[in-house]
Amino acid sequence: MTPMPVPLPVDLAGEPLCVVVREGKAGETSLHTHTCGQLLYPERGATLLQTEHHLVRLGPSRAAWIPPDLPHAVLMERPYRYHSVYVDAAVYAETVFSVTGISPLLRELIFDAARWDNPSADVPSRHWKTQGILDEIRRAPRVAAGLPIPDDTRIAMVCRALEADPSDGRTLAEWAAQAGASEKTMQRIFVKLTGLSFQQWRNHARMTRAIELHSLGRRMLDIAVELGYSSEGAYSHAFRQFYGYSPGQLKRRQAQTS
């Protein structure tokens, strides 16, 4: 049975928005909702955001817009620091969940807003900075909103397990036996509800995690093992097939932009 989300109040103190910063070694929040909107932006570390229909891994280049009253949970498996920009629904009423890119301007405005409880902050300028944040959120480019999680409990079970552990090598036939369905039925439902075959979905989960692990500076062999590949070569081939360039080229691109 899916747990009921817990309403968590946010005190905006009469302001159109506020920023709350959280950090630690690891942590998680159970399924919950807010009456206001929330832009979730991880400054450091990787954040796994779960909604009813999506699993989204966020890094420092992306944020997620969570509409008011949308149930969600957050998992941080490593040292993290993230910013929650809570926005009064009266000033920004976007009702669709989305993942966005973070511009340098929006990032700096979020950092600045996190210090607004400082008595020395320039209060008169907050109005213009608030408008800047809202404008940047509206204009931020939308990107793929993570991996789709369908309503079917049999498929959802497989999707969540594979996202949590992409190295899980169980075949669809083994998953079908656990779910009490035939392999053919499971494959048909996978394609119908996610638009991807079981193999494509698992590959997508592995490749999404791969980018995160490379950004953490992991060795290619360690990444290959963590994602369930038998060798560096097999992993490198799968990576190139998915992204169109090699893991080595990704490393050079990251070095050029850092």
Side-chain angles (χ1 to χ4, degrees):
M1 181 179 295
T2 303
M4 291 295 292
V6 177
L8 295 181
V10 175
D11 184 9
L12 292 171
E15 298 290 334
L17 63 79
C18 71
V19 177
V20 176
V21 181
R22 298 179 175 89
E23 59 185 324
K25 293 183 178 180
E28 63 181 307
T29 64
S30 58
L31 196 67
H32 65 281
T33 62
H34 306 293
T35 56
C36 59
Q38 177 186 6
L39 184 75
L40 180 64
Y41 168 60
E43 178 186 352
R44 290 198 304 268
T47 299
L48 176 63
L49 174 63
Q50 301 186 51
T51 70
E52 181 181 4
H53 297 293
H54 290 95
L55 283 171
V56 180
R57 284 196 173 270
L58 300 172
S61 65
R62 302 199 303 170
W65 172 255
I66 305 168
D69 302 315
L70 178 70
H72 60 282
V74 183
L75 172 65
M76 292 72 62
E77 299 171 306
R78 303 180 180 88
Y80 67 91
R81 177 181 172 89
Y82 72 85
H83 300 249
S84 289
V85 184
Y86 296 109
V87 182
D88 190 330
V91 298
Y92 186 61
E94 175 58 61
T95 59
V96 177
F97 173 83
S98 62
V99 177
T100 69
I102 288 288
S103 68
L105 175 58
L106 179 55
R107 182 173 60 247
E108 293 305 317
L109 285 171
I110 290 173
F111 292 167
D112 183 81
R115 299 189 294 268
W116 285 358
D117 60 347
N118 188 326
S120 64
D122 185 5
V123 177
S125 70
R126 291 185 185 181
H127 170 75
W128 304 112
K129 291 176 179 178
T130 295
Q131 293 307 310
I133 291 173
L134 295 176
D135 287 345
E136 286 296 302
I137 292 175
R138 291 188 186 100
R139 294 166 50 189
R142 270 47 179 178
V143 298
L147 294 166
I149 302 294
D151 290 329
D152 188 284
T153 56
R154 296 164 296 182
I155 303 301
M157 170 191 70
V158 180
C159 291
R160 294 186 186 280
L162 288 176
E163 212 293 329
D165 180 13
S167 69
D168 193 320
R170 277 178 283 183
T171 65
L172 184 58
E174 291 172 312
W175 283 113
Q178 182 175 336
S182 70
E183 181 179 2
K184 182 177 292 187
T185 296
M186 290 286 280
Q187 187 71 282
R188 177 177 55 80
I189 297 175
F190 242 107
V191 173
K192 179 181 178 181
L193 298 184
T194 72
L196 303 171
S197 69
F198 165 75
Q199 293 81 2
Q200 289 172 326
W201 201 100
R202 180 168 60 185
N203 191 46
H204 200 308
R206 286 176 170 178
M207 290 298 106
T208 302
R209 181 70 67 88
I211 297 296
E212 174 195 335
L213 296 175
H214 278 289
S215 70
L216 294 172
R218 298 286 184 83
R219 294 188 311 158
M220 194 182 304
L221 177 59
D222 295 333
I223 294 174
V225 171
E226 187 164 341
L227 296 181
Y229 292 96
S230 59
S231 66
E232 271 189 62
Y235 164 66
S236 183
H237 176 74
F239 187 98
R240 183 185 288 276
Q241 288 289 105
F242 189 84
Y243 286 110
Y245 52 86
S246 70
Q249 289 173 303
L250 170 66
K251 187 176 181 179
R252 289 192 290 273
R253 290 183 182 192
Q254 292 175 332
Q256 291 170 356
T257 57
S258 61

